[in-house]
Amino acid sequence: MLTSDFDFDLPDDCIALRPAEPRDSARLLVVKDGALDDRIVRDLPDFLQPGDALVFNDTRVIPARLSGMRQRVGPEGETLTVEVEATLHHRDAPDVWSAFMKPGKRIKPGDRIRFGRNNDAACELGRLDATVEAKNEDGLITLRFDLAGPVLDDAIRDVGVMPLPPYIAAKRPEDDRDLKDYQTVFATYDGSVAAPTAGLHFTPALLDTIRARGVSTHAVTLHVGAGTFLPVKADDTADHKMHSEWGEVAPETAAALNAVRAAGGRIVCVGTTSLRLLESATTEDGVVQPFHGDTAIFITPGYRFRACDVLMTNFHLPKSTLFMLVSAFAGLETMRAAYAHAIDSGYRFYSYGDGSLLFRKDA
């Protein structure tokens, strides 16, 4: 399909810069059998049935945006420095991360990068050093840090900042509110550089109501990479290459979800991250398997869903892989109509925006 098939006009004032307060007061557009219903997130239990399973992503966002100085020895032996910024994407080893960097064209293998607020060579505090190992064709740069494992994690927390999406960061700087706002109530395991944003709408009280309705809740882990914000540049979707992300579905979770399906219950995914991981872990005949590793699944119209029956998700960018995914799930024409309605009705878009509840078109 053509990438232009997934384009639409989005007014700039539709982009949410702060989440709704309280979280479950955000609006919720229910899309079922082509019909649209304007509700709020707190109404979600009305659309769930006893025996359903709610699956959420328990990843936790790390302060993955690092600022620093590129250091290189010049032709006269002098040290040449340039300000750089890295957004961590995928952990490749205890001391290695792949990252998107700006300005990427000025980075070369062998460069030393000194991240942190303090560039005083005599002071080790508030500083993190790395060597550029490689520049890859997909735009990622491989960084090998001087620290490894938990010590590296601590250093990243010390020098990094919360990686707000570019469409928010372009309008305002991150602040202390984002440290809380950009984490879900499910956040447990460090590793994401972007929040699984559908989960931002949940509160403990809403979860209590859902469980009281007889709906079970289950956690999977997908560490969201910075590639989620990248636009699709290829004219044909078949030519787009997805960046991989690490995920895990525990054996007990796979068994529990298979039991739900066997009993006639539905699998309701909170967010496209949960959906993509479950679809990666599920066989052609619909059996959820334990999963541990990378996935680069790319879902476009024509894909046959194996695991997910209902999807709760936010509103996504034009021509993005996520708008392609929801179009595959609920139908392209249905989603075009739903997004047009959302824009006309003042729904708030993107990470801090409102939500939608989509029922699979072929369910």
Side-chain angles (χ1 to χ4, degrees):
M1 299 185 70
L2 296 178
T3 302
S4 58
D5 293 337
F6 303 93
D7 197 10
F8 56 89
D9 293 324
L10 182 70
D12 197 53
D13 58 4
C14 288
I15 300 174
L17 300 183
R18 298 285 185 186
E21 289 290 344
R23 294 190 181 200
D24 57 5
S25 67
R27 299 177 70 184
L28 183 71
L29 179 60
V30 180
V31 182
K32 185 177 183 181
D33 299 327
L36 307 178
D37 187 6
D38 296 307
R39 305 291 287 266
I40 62 172
V41 170
R42 206 171 295 131
D43 296 331
L44 174 63
D46 295 345
F47 299 93
L48 305 179
Q49 302 168 358
D52 286 347
L54 190 77
V55 182
F56 54 83
N57 185 0
D58 63 5
T59 189
R60 183 174 179 84
V61 183
I62 62 173
R65 184 165 293 140
L66 312 176
S67 297
M69 301 293 291
R70 184 219 69 191
Q71 300 177 330
R72 182 186 302 164
V73 177
E76 304 297 327
E78 74 278 22
T79 300
L80 305 177
T81 61
V82 174
E83 290 187 2
V84 296
E85 181 180 275
T87 301
L88 303 179
H89 170 71
H90 185 281
R91 192 166 198 160
D92 303 330
D95 61 341
V96 177
W97 276 86
S98 57
F100 294 99
M101 294 192 67
K102 297 187 298 185
K105 291 183 179 180
R106 304 185 71 174
I107 302 294
K108 294 181 179 180
D111 284 347
R112 291 285 289 172
I113 311 293
R114 175 158 291 174
F115 296 109
R117 297 172 296 277
N118 192 333
N119 290 306
D120 182 356
C123 181
E124 297 293 331
L125 298 176
R127 200 185 81 196
L128 177 60
D129 292 343
T131 301
V132 176
E133 285 218 328
K135 290 183 69 173
N136 305 305
E137 292 182 358
D138 58 3
L140 287 168
I141 291 174
T142 303
L143 295 173
R144 184 175 295 277
F145 289 90
D146 291 1
L147 304 176
V151 179
L152 174 58
D153 298 339
D154 290 341
I156 290 173
R157 279 191 287 268
D158 185 42
V159 305
V161 298
M162 190 62 73
L164 284 183
Y167 39 78
I168 295 177
K171 294 177 176 293
R172 66 167 180 83
E174 71 281 340
D175 55 31
D176 289 344
R177 273 191 61 183
D178 294 306
L179 296 175
K180 178 181 178 182
D181 288 348
Y182 204 52
Q183 298 284 12
T184 72
V185 70
F186 311 114
T188 304
Y189 300 106
D190 284 355
S192 275
V193 302
T197 54
L200 295 177
H201 297 298
F202 284 80
T203 64
L206 177 58
L207 286 170
D208 287 344
T209 303
I210 288 170
R211 290 167 179 145
R213 191 170 174 79
V215 176
S216 58
T217 56
H218 309 267
V220 297
T221 305
L222 183 77
H223 291 327
V224 188
T228 188
F229 301 127
L230 294 180
V232 177
K233 296 181 179 179
D235 293 332
D236 193 310
T237 59
D239 297 326
H240 177 69
K241 183 180 184 299
M242 291 283 284
H243 290 91
S244 64
E245 297 165 315
W246 184 91
E248 180 174 32
V249 179
E252 58 270 24
T253 301
L257 295 178
N258 288 326
V260 166
R261 295 294 290 273
R266 300 173 301 180
I267 293 180
V268 182
C269 289
V270 177
T272 57
T273 61
S274 300
L275 180 148
R276 289 189 289 113
L277 180 57
L278 280 188
E279 292 295 322
S280 301
T282 303
T283 64
E284 289 284 351
D285 54 356
V287 178
V288 182
Q289 302 277 6
F291 185 94
H292 183 96
D294 283 356
T295 177
I297 189 170
F298 181 27
I299 296 175
T300 57
Y303 177 85
R304 186 178 69 84
F305 289 87
R306 307 168 183 177
C308 183
D309 301 297
V310 183
L311 170 64
M312 181 178 173
T313 185
N314 283 21
F315 292 95
H316 305 294
L317 283 75
K319 297 194 290 187
S320 65
T321 61
L322 299 183
F323 184 63
M324 294 172 189
L325 184 154
V326 297
S327 298
F329 191 81
L332 178 55
E333 292 305 319
T334 296
M335 292 314 300
R336 283 175 175 163
Y339 272 49
H341 171 81
I343 292 169
D344 290 343
S345 304
Y347 278 75
R348 303 162 75 239
F349 274 61
Y350 303 164
S351 297
Y352 279 155
D354 297 314
S356 62
L357 186 66
L358 313 178
F359 289 77
R360 203 177 74 221
K361 64 180 179 180
D362 58 349

